[in-house]
Amino acid sequence: MWGQLPYLAKLEKAGIPTALIDFDDQHEMVKQEALAAGVPNIRYIPASRTIPGPEDVDQWLEPMLEMLTRPLTEKEKESGMYTPSQDRILFEGTLDEAQEFYQQTRHVPEPLNAPISVYTDGLPIVLPTEERVREMLKGTSHKPDELIAYQSDRGGRFERRIKKGDPVRFQPRAWTATVEKVAINAVMAGCKPEHLPVVLAIAESGVQTGTTVFNNQWMCLSGPIVKEIGINTGTGMMGPGNPAGMAIGRAYQLMALNLGGAVPGISRMSSIGSPINRVGLCFGECADKLPPGWLGLNEEFGFKKDESVIMVMGSEGGLTGAQFSPGGYRALQKSGHGGMARKLGVKGIPGPHNWLDWILPDIWAGEREGGRAFIMTHEMAYDLYRLGFKSKGEVLEYIWKKSFEPLKKYRDRSWVDLFTNGWLGNEPQSGKPWKELPDDYMVPAAGNRPEESCIIVCGSDEEICYEITATIRGMWGMQPVYSINAWR
Amino acid sequence: MAEKDKVYKFLSPVGMELPVKTYPLAPRLDKLDGKTIHISITGEPDITIPLEKKLRADYPNVNWTQKKSYMPMPVMLSDEEMKTTDAVILAVCW
């Protein structure tokens, strides 16, 4: 809830009464965050998601104002200490009994109205016996009781500066965790000890799940770790079958539930949810097949080539990438045949041709604005290299320039109302107030900077490029790449 | 004892909730007239624009102040402003 409850708690503690308007389905989250902020009895009233504003306000204006004047109840006058239990041993029994215990569900009422697993993603788990967790902890030199803390200074949400050593507060409940807690979740996900430094680096990200919209959580590994643990970077790298990728992806989702308290319908309100999060998504880049001069993600983000890192993304929006058929792509590049060649005006001329011109700027036409993660096969990356793009940066600059559109069109988008703060501020490129710019002023649909997009090269051969809606650098000021070496 | 009957201890994967000192709510107002009440607007203009209009029209004896953001993060009162503010309405929380 983006700091609203801590703010109201600060006001109440300072003797200023408050009244909060939320929505019906957000009540549980309000209660949880109010407790975490130290004011568990905060007063709130729901607005409607569907009734027009003036009519809606009429319905609750009086009771809302009464929240400021109605005398406090005895419960509302209470102060004290909330001390939740922190038992290390959760269950004692046989393996069969434990599997049943860990798969228990709770009924989550509307807007969900279905059973939801308490400790798992709904599937059976590897049971976290003391012995298995002890074995898992051999994968790191960090002590089991060490609190998960940031390993470097970095940017956080809303330009918040995070300092090395600050404890990680797992969202949405702002809980903390030890190395052992992460190891327990890694065991449950099916990880091996050699995966633990990766899972710890993921934990450092706070394993956020987003709020009300379609938020995808995904991760990309870069550096020697990719080969060390056998991550698939080739055909089907985002699909099933690779034990390391599957288990690490699942560990993210289990940590979101168990370390962050992200329960669907209560504190994880992604409206319809995302299939990407159903089990979890972790893959790796294929650094061996990068064109000359193109850097891996680790070097792009200031790490050395021999350092292992993980990019942890929470991206709102979609995954596209079937704009052209692989055969159509080959026809374009081999001999200038087919529809792609017709569109580009290169009929009968052998490649390389700039295939980006075939998909740009249309990828922003029916999709939301902002950066993209372009996940392309090595052959397609090499075609761009042969056309003169000697670095990823040059490609990103080209993509960004292709995304410019008139302000009149840009205004018709939805999210921009939010990200321009209701058009109250200044347009970043010109520095001029949004409201003073003419309709034909050109605005980049791909974000404020070329580097808000990124390129990941994949080792498979079937020619395709995925685009994941994702602002890689700078969204909310967050930095999404975490060192794995720091957790070895 | 058969393997299936062997008893194990299983560890808790749940994160650690820090102890929280809890506070009472602030004393409520004896009346609205003559008070300075701040409206903290966080998005949802379809709700917050008619809300502010109606408050100002129906309660002219309240000194209404306002800060707004289209974003969910509220524009906060300064410490000085808090000294002269009697109550706060925040809309909409999401």
Side-chain angles (χ1 to χ4, degrees):
Chain A
M1 291 192 164
W2 310 94
Q4 291 154 326
L5 267 301
Y7 177 48
L8 293 185
K10 177 185 173 184
L11 295 171
E12 291 278 355
K13 290 175 194 173
I16 300 173
T18 68
L20 172 66
I21 294 107
D22 71 345
F23 294 114
D24 268 332
D25 60 329
Q26 307 279 317
H27 285 349
E28 283 303 315
M29 200 186 298
V30 167
K31 281 194 262 184
Q32 288 181 352
E33 294 204 11
L35 172 59
V39 187
N41 298 309
I42 207 111
R43 291 179 173 181
Y44 52 87
I45 193 166
S48 167
R49 286 188 180 274
T50 55
I51 298 172
E55 190 184 328
D56 184 28
V57 170
D58 279 346
Q59 293 189 19
W60 46 259
L61 189 78
E62 291 301 324
M64 185 270 292
L65 286 170
E66 196 200 331
M67 294 197 300
L68 298 177
T69 56
R70 190 177 68 244
L72 299 183
T73 63
E74 290 307 310
K75 188 179 177 203
E76 288 172 331
K77 291 177 185 171
E78 287 175 0
S79 60
M81 200 73 191
Y82 171 68
T83 49
S85 64
Q86 310 281 355
D87 294 333
R88 180 169 176 267
I89 306 294
L90 182 64
F91 183 77
E92 206 166 335
T94 67
L95 293 172
D96 285 347
E97 290 167 343
Q99 191 63 257
E100 192 172 339
F101 177 86
Y102 276 84
Q103 284 192 260
Q104 66 184 277
T105 61
R106 81 186 88 180
H107 182 85
V108 177
E110 291 286 355
L112 199 151
N113 201 23
I116 288 290
S117 289
V118 176
Y119 300 111
T120 80
D121 48 15
L123 294 170
I125 52 157
V126 176
L127 292 164
T129 62
E130 280 189 302
E131 295 78 7
R132 285 172 178 161
V133 173
R134 199 178 302 126
E135 187 64 25
M136 177 63 68
L137 285 163
K138 290 179 181 173
T140 181
S141 62
H142 291 258
K143 299 281 182 267
D145 60 352
E146 180 182 326
L147 205 61
I148 299 298
Y150 292 98
Q151 303 297 298
S152 62
D153 294 350
R154 59 177 49 248
R157 270 185 171 174
F158 295 111
E159 311 300 332
R160 184 169 73 94
R161 294 304 304 172
I162 292 168
K163 291 207 173 306
K164 180 180 178 180
D166 285 352
V168 173
R169 303 298 295 266
F170 293 85
Q171 300 302 318
R173 299 291 303 276
W175 292 344
T176 59
T178 58
V179 168
E180 182 179 75
K181 289 282 185 189
V182 173
I184 294 166
N185 280 278
V187 168
M188 291 169 65
C191 291
K192 307 287 185 197
E194 58 267 31
H195 304 161
L196 185 59
V198 181
V199 181
L200 286 163
I202 295 168
E204 189 186 340
S205 77
V207 288
Q208 305 205 25
T209 53
T211 56
T212 57
V213 295
F214 185 99
N215 189 289
N216 306 306
Q217 294 99 47
W218 56 275
M219 296 155 280
C220 183
L221 289 158
S222 170
I225 191 76
V226 171
K227 288 183 180 170
E228 284 172 25
I229 62 174
I231 288 282
N232 175 17
T233 63
T235 301
M237 71 175 188
M238 292 172 73
N242 176 245
M246 292 295 290
I248 292 168
R250 190 184 189 199
Y252 185 111
Q253 294 301 328
L254 289 179
M255 288 194 290
L257 169 68
N258 290 319
L259 303 184
V263 180
I266 294 178
S267 50
R268 181 176 191 163
M269 304 303 288
S270 294
S271 177
I272 297 176
S274 165
I276 287 177
N277 307 331
R278 203 171 174 91
V279 177
L281 179 57
C282 178
F283 53 91
E285 69 171 349
C286 187
D288 287 349
K289 294 185 178 178
L290 285 165
W294 289 33
L295 300 178
L297 286 174
N298 50 359
E299 289 185 279
E300 279 188 273
F301 281 87
F303 295 86
K304 293 177 183 162
K305 192 173 184 176
D306 62 357
E307 287 183 273
S308 293
V309 301
I310 186 163
M311 186 165 74
V312 184
M313 289 300 303
S315 56
E316 288 163 347
L319 168 64
T320 53
Q323 297 98 339
F324 52 81
S325 68
Y329 182 90
R330 291 192 294 275
L332 165 72
Q333 300 294 14
K334 283 182 179 177
S335 51
H337 285 162
M340 294 180 77
R342 279 195 294 278
K343 179 175 175 179
L344 296 180
V346 294
K347 279 291 286 178
I349 304 170
H353 299 298
N354 190 339
W355 56 271
L356 288 170
D357 287 343
W358 199 85
I359 63 169
L360 301 176
D362 293 353
I363 61 168
W364 289 282
E367 277 272 2
R368 70 172 290 186
E369 68 293 337
R372 295 285 187 279
F374 291 86
I375 302 173
M376 63 183 73
T377 63
H378 60 102
E379 176 191 328
M380 297 170 70
Y382 261 89
D383 283 336
L384 294 174
Y385 173 78
R386 288 190 291 152
L387 283 163
F389 293 101
K390 300 306 179 195
S391 69
K392 286 182 180 175
E394 290 179 20
V395 180
L396 294 177
E397 179 87 15
Y398 186 84
I399 291 169
W400 186 68
K401 286 180 176 170
K402 283 275 181 180
S403 79
F404 277 67
E405 64 186 21
L407 178 56
K408 186 174 189 307
K409 185 177 177 186
Y410 190 73
R411 278 201 209 98
D412 291 344
R413 295 178 177 275
S414 173
W415 288 92
V416 294
D417 288 342
L418 183 65
F419 292 116
T420 60
N421 196 18
W423 307 93
L424 293 173
N426 294 339
E427 192 275 322
Q429 308 303 319
S430 64
K432 293 179 180 173
W434 281 106
K435 290 184 177 174
E436 292 178 10
L437 294 171
D439 284 353
D440 61 355
Y441 180 82
M442 299 298 281
V443 183
N448 292 328
R449 296 177 297 134
E451 296 79 16
E452 289 191 16
S453 293
C454 84
I455 293 168
I456 297 167
V457 171
C458 163
S460 70
D461 292 332
E462 189 83 332
E463 299 84 353
I464 197 163
C465 177
Y466 282 170
E467 302 94 42
I468 306 181
T469 307
T471 295
I472 306 300
R473 304 166 178 89
M475 187 177 185
W476 310 114
M478 289 175 74
Q479 294 166 345
V481 176
Y482 296 83
S483 167
I484 292 168
N485 289 12
W487 289 104
R488 289 187 189 269
Chain B
M1 191 193 324
E3 183 64 26
K4 72 179 185 64
D5 297 323
K6 188 175 175 185
V7 172
Y8 296 86
K9 288 179 178 171
F10 301 92
L11 302 186
S12 171
V14 180
M16 299 176 305
E17 205 171 350
L18 298 178
V20 178
K21 182 167 169 46
T22 57
Y23 294 81
L25 291 185
R28 290 356 234 183
L29 306 177
D30 56 347
K31 59 180 181 176
L32 298 177
D33 283 355
K35 305 295 186 188
T36 296
I37 303 180
H38 180 73
I39 311 165
S40 180
I41 293 173
T42 52
E44 300 286 341
D46 181 67
I47 295 166
T48 50
I49 290 173
L51 171 64
E52 185 180 358
K53 278 185 183 168
K54 193 158 181 60
L55 286 171
R56 289 184 187 276
D58 292 2
Y59 298 88
N61 296 327
V62 172
N63 175 33
W64 295 105
T65 62
Q66 177 252 61
K67 290 183 189 235
K68 70 177 173 183
S69 166
Y70 207 96
M71 311 283 276
M73 191 77 179
V75 181
M76 296 184 188
L77 291 171
S78 67
D79 289 346
E80 281 305 305
E81 289 167 332
M82 282 173 62
K83 288 176 187 168
T84 56
T85 298
D86 296 307
V88 171
I89 296 166
L90 191 149
V92 172
C93 182
W94 50 291

